[in-house]
Amino acid sequence: MKKLLIATIAALTVLASISLFTSCSKKSELTPVNIKPIVYQTDNITIKVDPKLELLLIALRLAEVEPFSYNYYGQDYSQFVDGVDNLFAKQKDHPFVKEIKSRSKNYKDGYRPCLAIAQYISDDMTQMTIKQKEMPKELETFWKGINLKTFIAQFNDFANTSNYARIWLLYEPHLKRQAIAEQDYQTANIKGTEWISKYFFAPDSKPEILLYSSTLTSGYYYALPLTEKDNKTVITQIAGAYWTKDNDWNYYNSTLNITASYIYALVEKYWDLFSEDLTRLTKKIYEENQFTDKVTDTIVKANNSTVFAIVCSLDFDLAKDNEEIGTAIKNAIVTNYLYKEPEKLIALAEYYQSNRDTYPDFESFLVNYLPQALKEL
């Protein structure tokens, strides 16, 4: 169970829309890094390989932070990881890497706050798009006390001293193939994203799904904060695995990952509504099973978000029409997450589905019905 909790935190560790603000450092002080992101888009799904995020992941790897220091991929997908190890070897003592290593040494929460900062770095890596006094709350746990001017200066220097632009150019064909493979898979699993749109959103508010494709997460998935684009919700996730297209379980699990990312982001967005009861339920499970680990907010958010994502996914065709998958999902609620009365959780999801006139989307249900319902569990 302990390993499962750790994996859940790693995989899900999910937030509001942030406007762009004036730079905290002057552009003329730093050297621009000119790398174009790799972007493919199909309908409402965008696949992106982002240079800023990749560089941050490289720093985490050099700092020997798990799971980023792992390499679970076979030869086809490990080229960039192997290249990073060889070409960035001399940068292990760079101030930016040392800063990452120092902050991660005694860090106990999930790494979503660490990764989320990449969204606030300008494309040329010379500016922060937020002011120091407007630091988003979702960054605080990992980056507490960080000076944004120092951060961007170190980040920019790390990119330039490592010749990151040249390394990117060297591996760009591989990174493009990586993104295309993700796009092909998502196209094959279109029923999954269509179900997410139908189940969680009103008919006129189809969400956008942004997947950052990377080989530097060792197969883990990370939910990033929700944003808004053209009055639509953008579900953002770092997609760290490569799924084969000939396995129904892959289709189910990849859909579940996106679902869990969305629910995690909502739970965090409205944490004040749920913190007391979700913490109570989690502590009860720990006590009943004699777990000695500390129940942190991150554990509570991650595990409960995943459990409820599993419950909701029972409505997905692969669970409804495939007896093996449906049975395994229900069993997982009890055997993996140790909820003794899964039927009560399933009843919550069924109530949502039966009352879509009252709750046209899952967010309205989450805010207006679920807080009181949790008190009865």
Side-chain angles (χ1 to χ4, degrees):
M1 177 64 184
K2 182 178 179 181
K3 291 182 178 179
L4 176 64
L5 294 175
I6 294 172
T8 304
I9 295 169
L12 286 174
T13 244
V14 320
L15 101 139
S17 177
I18 301 296
S19 300
L20 299 184
F21 294 98
T22 305
S23 167
C24 291
S25 60
K26 294 181 179 179
K27 187 174 181 178
S28 59
E29 294 177 351
L30 304 178
T31 303
V33 181
N34 298 311
I35 305 176
K36 291 183 178 181
I38 297 166
V39 181
Y40 294 99
Q41 187 164 3
T42 304
D43 193 22
N44 66 322
I45 303 173
T46 300
I47 309 297
K48 186 174 184 178
V49 184
D50 181 60
K52 300 169 295 182
L53 177 60
E54 291 295 290
L55 188 61
L56 181 57
L57 289 166
I58 288 169
L60 284 159
R61 183 169 181 81
L62 295 179
E64 299 177 342
V65 176
E66 297 179 358
F68 310 101
S69 58
Y70 301 157
N71 185 0
Y72 290 150
Y73 291 108
Q75 187 174 3
D76 289 345
Y77 288 122
S78 66
Q79 294 179 33
F80 186 55
V81 180
D82 294 339
V84 164
D85 290 344
N86 293 327
L87 298 173
F88 280 84
K90 294 181 179 180
Q91 301 300 321
K92 285 190 174 183
D93 292 325
H94 189 278
F96 185 69
V97 176
K98 287 184 175 180
E99 174 71 19
I100 294 282
K101 195 164 190 174
S102 175
R103 287 180 173 274
S104 63
K105 187 176 182 180
N106 297 311
Y107 186 66
K108 302 298 183 182
D109 289 332
Y111 282 97
R112 188 196 65 82
C114 173
L115 301 173
I117 202 170
Q119 296 178 302
Y120 307 108
I121 299 172
S122 64
D123 287 342
D124 65 0
M125 305 183 198
T126 65
Q127 303 178 78
M128 299 301 295
T129 59
I130 48 175
K131 292 181 178 180
Q132 186 74 45
K133 64 180 180 180
E134 294 160 332
M135 186 92 157
K137 288 183 179 180
E138 72 261 15
L139 305 183
E140 283 293 340
T141 55
F142 188 86
W143 298 108
K144 185 177 181 180
I146 193 75
N147 182 292
L148 292 180
K149 181 179 286 189
T150 301
F151 171 88
I152 192 59
Q154 289 182 341
F155 189 82
N156 179 265
D157 185 72
F158 179 53
N160 283 295
T161 58
S162 64
N163 290 318
Y164 182 46
R166 294 187 66 182
I167 294 172
W168 183 277
L169 185 63
L170 176 65
Y171 283 95
E172 189 172 28
H174 170 73
L175 296 171
K176 285 183 176 179
R177 288 196 298 272
Q178 164 189 318
I180 291 171
E182 184 72 36
Q183 182 190 40
D184 286 346
Y185 175 80
Q186 294 300 332
T187 299
N189 190 33
I190 193 66
K191 288 185 178 180
T193 49
E194 286 178 345
W195 171 77
I196 288 172
S197 295
K198 181 180 178 181
Y199 186 92
F200 292 99
F201 295 87
D204 59 345
S205 58
K206 186 176 182 179
E208 298 287 330
I209 298 174
L210 172 59
L211 301 176
Y212 288 107
S213 178
S214 177
T215 56
L216 292 168
T217 67
S218 292
Y220 288 101
Y221 279 66
Y222 294 86
L224 293 182
L226 295 176
T227 56
E228 296 288 329
K229 178 183 177 183
D230 300 328
N231 295 319
K232 289 186 177 181
T233 297
V234 181
I235 302 172
T236 305
Q237 183 183 63
I238 300 174
Y242 291 83
W243 307 95
T244 56
K245 294 184 284 188
D246 59 354
N247 187 316
D248 282 348
W249 270 110
N250 282 346
Y251 289 135
Y252 171 78
N253 283 320
S254 60
T255 303
L256 177 64
N257 274 331
I258 298 174
T259 299
S261 289
Y262 178 61
I263 294 178
Y264 183 96
L266 287 181
V267 168
E268 190 163 51
K269 182 178 179 181
Y270 298 106
W271 181 234
D272 289 346
L273 294 176
F274 304 111
S275 59
E276 181 178 346
D277 289 298
L278 291 183
T279 301
R280 171 180 56 81
L281 291 170
T282 304
K283 285 183 175 180
K284 182 180 178 182
I285 290 173
Y286 269 51
E287 290 169 0
E288 290 175 346
N289 293 276
Q290 299 181 345
F291 297 141
T292 58
D293 303 63
K294 182 180 179 181
V295 177
T296 65
D297 286 354
T298 302
I299 286 176
V300 174
K301 292 173 186 175
N303 282 276
N304 284 283
S305 296
T306 305
V307 170
F308 212 75
I310 291 171
V311 171
C312 291
S313 70
L314 288 168
D315 180 74
F316 184 31
D317 287 348
L318 281 176
K320 290 194 298 185
D321 300 337
N322 186 314
E323 184 177 354
E324 177 187 358
I325 292 178
T327 300
I329 294 168
K330 292 178 182 177
N331 289 340
I333 300 170
V334 178
T335 59
N336 291 1
Y337 292 91
L338 305 178
Y339 273 85
K340 292 183 176 180
E341 299 177 300
E343 64 277 0
K344 290 186 177 181
L345 297 177
I346 294 171
L348 291 177
E350 290 175 343
Y351 182 85
Y352 165 63
Q353 279 290 77
S354 300
N355 291 274
R356 292 299 295 271
D357 289 341
T358 304
Y359 308 107
D361 57 38
F362 191 75
E363 185 169 2
S364 63
F365 171 75
L366 192 99
V367 172
N368 297 301
Y369 181 82
L370 201 55
Q372 184 59 40
L374 288 176
K375 295 185 182 301
E376 300 174 8
L377 293 181

